[in-house]
Amino acid sequence: RPGDEVYGDNLGLMGGFAEYAVAPESALAHKPKTLTFAEASTLPQAGAIALQGTAGLRPGQRMLINGAGGGSGSFAIQLAKRAGAHVTGVDNAGKLEFMRSLGADEVIDYRGQDFTHGEPYDLVLDLVAHRSVFAYRRALARGGRYRCVGGSVLALLRVVTIGAIAGWLTGRRLGLLAVKQGPVHFEPLAERCVAGDVHIHIDRTFGLDEVPRALARVGEGRALGKVVIEIA
């Protein structure tokens, strides 16, 4: 109804950097009263990725999150730890302490260490895919799963073609995480945030006229958690 405070993901409209935007009612949910609009805005996309990317984890399993110091990664670390997993976070050196503060058991600076060499993982959530699919396969324990969301177009194509076959032949599963959209896929995380079980980490907020600076901060790998655009 007019005046309702709502939030949601308008990814299907390919953009929301505007004072006004049109979105289908099915994409929106009532904003929890205890969350600010800035906090709520972090959940529909990054939260949905984290929820779906950590689904199926069991206590004691080993999970690695590549790009764990950003928006989706900061949620995924917390969710994986709540599921009882042993969590390794991978990002640049400037984010190692941040990932530890979120609960990561181990942290890796990707510039100094290749996470695909070492003890294998039961689940890898890759938010910045760019390695060979054979390296990803090597990082998985038998029966393990690799799911990527972001990365170069070439890397993603290799995952869905060569990776799927190579994984199947060796008892591993490599593929894309097809993120489902809509309130049913992000409201469960909002409820956990309201309850204090999961925390929202906003790195910085920018005004609408500062969108290029905000995107640059994310692209340069400097954001600890989510970057938010606020309308004055």
Side-chain angles (χ1 to χ4, degrees):
R1 295 192 299 271
D4 283 355
E5 294 186 337
V6 297
Y7 71 121
D9 188 355
N10 69 342
L11 182 63
L13 303 179
M14 301 304 291
F17 295 139
E19 293 181 350
Y20 297 95
V22 176
E25 184 178 353
S26 60
L28 304 174
H30 286 95
K31 181 182 73 66
K33 295 184 183 300
T34 56
L35 296 183
T36 66
F37 274 109
E39 290 170 331
S41 73
T42 69
L43 298 171
Q45 188 176 93
I49 289 172
L51 275 173
Q52 294 168 50
T54 56
L57 265 179
R58 298 191 302 274
Q61 288 191 315
R62 290 171 51 80
M63 179 176 186
L64 180 139
I65 304 162
N66 189 27
S72 295
S74 63
F75 287 127
I77 289 176
Q78 297 179 75
L79 292 170
K81 287 302 298 178
R82 302 298 185 273
H86 180 282
V87 181
T88 298
V90 180
D91 217 305
N92 64 58
K95 299 187 180 185
L96 300 186
E97 288 305 317
F98 176 62
M99 293 188 292
R100 287 193 184 98
S101 74
L102 295 171
D105 299 287
E106 299 179 52
V107 294
I108 294 174
D109 174 6
Y110 73 88
R111 295 189 180 103
Q113 182 180 344
D114 183 351
F115 69 79
T116 67
H117 290 279
E119 191 172 348
Y121 299 91
D122 300 295
L123 176 61
V124 172
L125 175 61
D126 198 347
L127 303 168
V128 285
H130 67 273
R131 287 179 170 80
S132 157
V133 293
F134 298 105
Y136 294 132
R137 184 187 63 179
R138 181 173 62 237
L140 290 176
R142 190 165 185 83
R145 297 175 292 145
Y146 168 87
R147 292 291 178 264
C148 64
V149 183
S152 69
V153 173
L154 182 58
L156 298 179
L157 287 174
R158 286 173 174 167
V159 167
V160 298
T161 53
I162 302 171
I165 297 171
W168 177 73
L169 291 173
T170 58
R172 295 159 177 82
R173 288 175 286 170
L174 287 83
L176 302 183
L177 177 65
V179 181
K180 300 178 180 67
Q181 300 177 39
V184 69
H185 300 295
F186 61 77
E187 284 190 295
L189 182 57
E191 293 170 1
R192 295 180 69 168
C193 291
V194 169
D197 182 46
V198 174
H199 300 287
I200 297 168
H201 292 271
I202 296 177
D203 174 73
R204 282 187 61 182
T205 59
F206 291 85
L208 187 58
D209 60 339
E210 298 177 298
V211 166
R213 288 180 56 204
L215 294 177
R217 184 170 181 82
V218 174
E220 293 164 2
R222 293 187 288 136
L224 303 177
K226 284 291 293 181
V227 167
V228 173
I229 304 299
E230 283 195 308
I231 307 299

